[in-house]
Amino acid sequence: MATQNGSGVGPPSIVVNDLTIERSGTRILTDVSFEFGPGTLVGVVGPNGAGKSTLFEAISGRIPIHHGSAAIYADRPLNQGSVAYVPQRDSINWRIPVTVEDVVMMGRTNSKGWLRRYGREDRELCRQSLDRVNLWDRRSALMTELSGGQRQRAFIARALCQEASVLLLDESFSGVDVGAQEDIVQVLRGLRDEGKIILLATHDLTNLAERFDICLCINKHVCACGPPEEAFTPQVLEELYGSHGVVFATGGSSHSHEEPGRTPVQEQHEDTHPVHD
């Protein structure tokens, strides 16, 4: 079982040690270990089915751990909302008609528990959180009316309203244009500079060195963990993406009719049926 300890006082940290997860008799993650301290923005990369979503679910306590541990040390107990988890958009029921403000206020429920009423302090924190992501003017809009980038910023605002120390964002760049991605990155950098730990799972390998302090490369186990310029060696890319990864690393081409601007890694993702990790 996971060892999740929020009794410590001070800056947040994540310590994952020999984490192993199985589902329906299938090994999803094997002996995953890493440690991140406060003020860290981490890009979690790997192919479909690599275990990225499973890792986030284990860290946030949503699934059991079969071996090893995932420990969060934060400035307050986990049951008071120290960890905010934003799942893939395909996991969210968009048919429920909720406003942006409704979604952000859910962060107060996560932080303080279900059996309480929202007070002036809660609503002020909601306003500040929406201001932070430039969505206060859209607070009355339905979530279904927002663009992909605006939806992701709304979920980040919910995490802010939750006062989480650790943010786990699963494929927050999916379906989001480059300009909106940069807006999200700017918000996340601000949170990092305040001492929060942010892990963002992504398939997009563009501008990783500019966006993230650390890259955690996963393909059912940790292939590499470190600064992007050190993590993405040809060997690691091959371990992640096979021969496509080597072509990507060397700047070559294994296809005579590639479309301009598309990397072999992007082609692999497009050719793979989407599955949850």
Side-chain angles (χ1 to χ4, degrees):
M1 296 298 291
T3 301
Q4 295 179 314
N5 184 350
S7 60
V9 176
S13 63
I14 298 177
V15 181
V16 173
N17 186 41
D18 293 334
L19 180 72
T20 297
I21 303 290
E22 294 181 0
R23 282 180 164 173
S24 302
T26 300
R27 183 72 60 88
I28 306 298
L29 291 171
T30 301
D31 297 334
V32 171
S33 297
F34 57 82
E35 180 175 349
F36 300 127
T40 309
L41 179 54
V42 182
V44 183
V45 300
N48 284 335
K52 301 185 297 295
S53 299
T54 298
L55 175 65
F56 284 4
E57 290 172 344
I59 292 174
S60 59
R62 284 168 170 76
I63 61 173
I65 293 173
H66 295 85
H67 176 75
S69 62
I72 306 293
Y73 301 93
D75 54 359
R76 56 200 168 90
L78 281 178
N79 60 10
Q80 293 184 10
S82 293
V83 180
Y85 172 57
V86 179
Q88 294 185 26
R89 62 177 183 170
D90 292 343
S91 303
I92 299 169
N93 186 356
W94 297 108
R95 293 173 296 181
I96 300 176
V98 292
T99 67
V100 173
E101 190 170 20
D102 290 335
V103 167
V104 176
M105 285 298 290
M106 289 176 188
R108 301 310 296 157
T109 300
N110 290 337
S111 178
K112 301 297 185 180
W114 292 96
L115 300 177
R116 72 182 299 273
R117 294 183 178 180
Y118 299 136
R120 180 180 299 177
E121 180 182 348
D122 299 316
R123 298 193 182 281
E124 174 61 19
L125 187 54
C126 176
R127 183 193 66 76
Q128 292 175 6
S129 300
L130 282 167
D131 268 341
R132 183 76 179 270
V133 299
N134 296 317
L135 281 180
W136 177 246
D137 290 343
R138 301 302 310 275
R139 64 188 180 278
S140 298
L142 294 176
M143 288 292 288
T144 52
E145 297 172 352
L146 301 185
S147 67
Q150 289 173 327
R151 288 179 183 178
Q152 291 302 324
R153 283 189 281 137
F155 286 123
I156 293 172
R158 184 183 68 180
L160 293 174
C161 202
Q162 185 177 330
E163 298 181 290
S165 301
V166 177
L167 283 69
L168 307 174
L169 311 175
D170 198 352
E171 297 295 345
S172 289
F173 291 158
S174 178
V176 177
D177 64 52
V178 174
Q181 288 182 23
E182 289 306 315
D183 290 341
I184 293 170
V185 170
Q186 288 302 319
V187 173
L188 297 181
R189 284 174 179 159
L191 298 177
R192 174 203 60 191
D193 293 343
E194 293 174 5
K196 298 185 187 298
I197 301 172
I198 304 107
L199 276 66
L200 190 154
T202 179
H203 280 136
D204 189 350
L205 302 185
T206 306
N207 300 323
L208 287 177
E210 289 78 17
R211 289 178 171 179
F212 300 106
D213 307 316
I214 298 292
C215 278
L216 176 62
C217 304
I218 288 184
N219 193 358
K220 300 185 181 297
H221 63 278
V222 175
C223 302
C225 184
E229 62 273 14
E230 298 177 10
F232 285 104
T233 66
Q235 292 78 13
V236 169
L237 284 165
E238 183 174 15
E239 192 172 358
L240 289 172
Y241 303 109
S243 59
H244 288 288
V246 176
V247 173
F248 177 74
T250 59
S253 173
S254 61
H255 298 277
S256 58
H257 301 291
E258 286 183 1
E259 294 179 20
R262 295 169 70 225
T263 70
V265 172
Q266 288 173 324
E267 287 186 348
Q268 182 194 44
H269 293 318
E270 292 167 6
D271 292 340
T272 303
H273 294 293
V275 296
H276 293 297
D277 288 333

